[in-house]
Amino acid sequence: MIVVTGAAGFIGSCLVSRLNADNFNDIIVVDNFTVARKEPNLQGKKIKLFVDRMEFPEWLDKNYEEVEFIFHLGARTDTTEFDPAIFNLLNLEYSKKVWLACCEYQIPLVYASSAATYGAGKLGYDDDENIVPLLNPLNPYGDSKNDFDKWALEQTAKPFFWAGLKFFNVYGPNEYHKGRMASVVLHAFKQINDRGRLELFRSHNPEYADGEQKRDFIYVKDVVEICMFLMHHRQNSGIYNVGSGQARTFLDLAFNTFEAMGREVNIDFKDTPSDIRDNYQYFTQATMDKLRRIGYTKPFYTLEEGIRDYVQSYLIPNTYY
């Protein structure tokens, strides 16, 4: 059996679909299943058992002998939530329980970290584990992810294989439930579809023109391929970036979304909301050498390819992955 926590969410549900595609059908999905808007993410998938996230540690204690691998993707991911206690409970302490169980029962583990750990990027975006204690995230979500990375690296007891994945700006199908936290591609599609135009955040940094803010956007299909690779690889434990390795501007994203939809470009700019303006990242770009060095050779979707597939294969027909 393969466990996926956060399985009803964006990346988790896509991973379940990708596992099914390779005939892994004994999937244990773990999540808070009371959120109705997430339900379509798992419809039609081959799943062995649904386990509530708060009951999972006890379930694992009873069923560990049958578990082959754990993908721990479940987390509170709201970057506009500023109560550290919520992140401490759901992200840090919960992840420690999963880690310790994987040590005790010798189960390999892949868990979700985040590029939010890099903060404003003053130390760059290199997945060198030596800089993890020096990083300064910009919000409690990033703190919780970096605190767990630091804790994991400090442990003398580790699963025989483990990997922490620093996800950059992931976009793609099955993020429809995420609301404000959905990718810019989904927001762009909705705005263009509804109004025929798109609003982007104005730059409040004199070093960047409006729309020239850059992020490392990675298509979710690349993310799940990396997960599959690590499940089979089971060597070279450590923390890895998961990005495309290529920063692109929000204008690039906008132009490609208009093109994929067959619409004329029509862009306005608005002020970045005050609650996120001071902690806004103007540039992110993953260094991907470390993952390549351990043998991951697949090419990544370009922004053009990823947006075209997302818009035309999923958003326009309103389908799930």
Side-chain angles (χ1 to χ4, degrees), residues 68-242:
E68 181 184 352
F69 204 95
I70 294 178
F71 290 101
H72 176 40
L73 306 183
R76 182 65 174 266
T77 59
D78 188 347
T79 57
T80 63
E81 170 64 66
F82 288 97
D83 183 356
I86 292 175
F87 292 108
N88 189 56
L89 174 67
L90 295 178
N91 292 5
L92 183 57
E93 296 304 323
Y94 191 96
S95 297
K96 288 179 181 179
K97 287 183 183 178
V98 175
W99 174 281
L100 293 171
C102 287
C103 292
E104 182 176 355
Y105 303 135
Q106 284 300 292
I107 301 170
L109 170 69
V110 165
Y111 73 86
S113 181
S114 171
T117 56
Y118 291 116
K122 291 179 181 177
L123 296 177
Y125 298 93
D126 190 346
D127 46 7
D128 178 351
E129 290 159 18
N130 292 315
I131 71 167
V132 168
L134 308 175
L135 295 175
N136 186 25
L138 298 175
N139 51 48
Y141 165 68
D143 283 332
S144 71
K145 289 298 190 180
N146 200 53
D147 286 346
F148 182 72
D149 287 343
K150 287 190 290 187
W151 181 88
L153 291 170
E154 290 167 356
Q155 299 310 297
T156 51
K158 294 180 168 67
F160 74 85
F161 170 72
W162 66 275
L165 304 184
K166 294 199 178 198
F167 297 132
F168 277 68
N169 285 71
V170 187
Y171 67 97
N174 299 19
E175 61 168 331
Y176 312 120
H177 64 280
K178 287 175 66 73
R180 187 180 179 186
M181 290 296 107
S183 75
V184 183
V185 182
L186 180 56
H187 286 300
F189 175 84
K190 287 182 174 179
Q191 286 187 32
I192 296 165
N193 209 40
D194 293 344
R195 309 178 203 167
R197 61 186 180 87
L198 170 62
E199 284 186 332
L200 293 176
F201 288 154
R202 185 173 285 114
S203 173
H204 299 271
N205 182 331
E207 295 181 18
Y208 292 85
D210 291 343
E212 294 291 334
Q213 304 98 312
K214 287 187 171 182
R215 296 284 177 85
D216 189 330
F217 300 103
I218 180 167
Y219 195 31
V220 71
K221 289 185 179 180
D222 284 325
V223 172
V224 298
E225 288 302 323
I226 290 168
C227 289
M228 296 296 290
F229 166 77
L230 291 169
M231 183 180 73
H232 293 298
H233 185 67
R234 301 191 189 190
Q235 300 175 60
N236 310 105
S237 294
I239 293 175
Y240 293 90
N241 281 339
V242 176

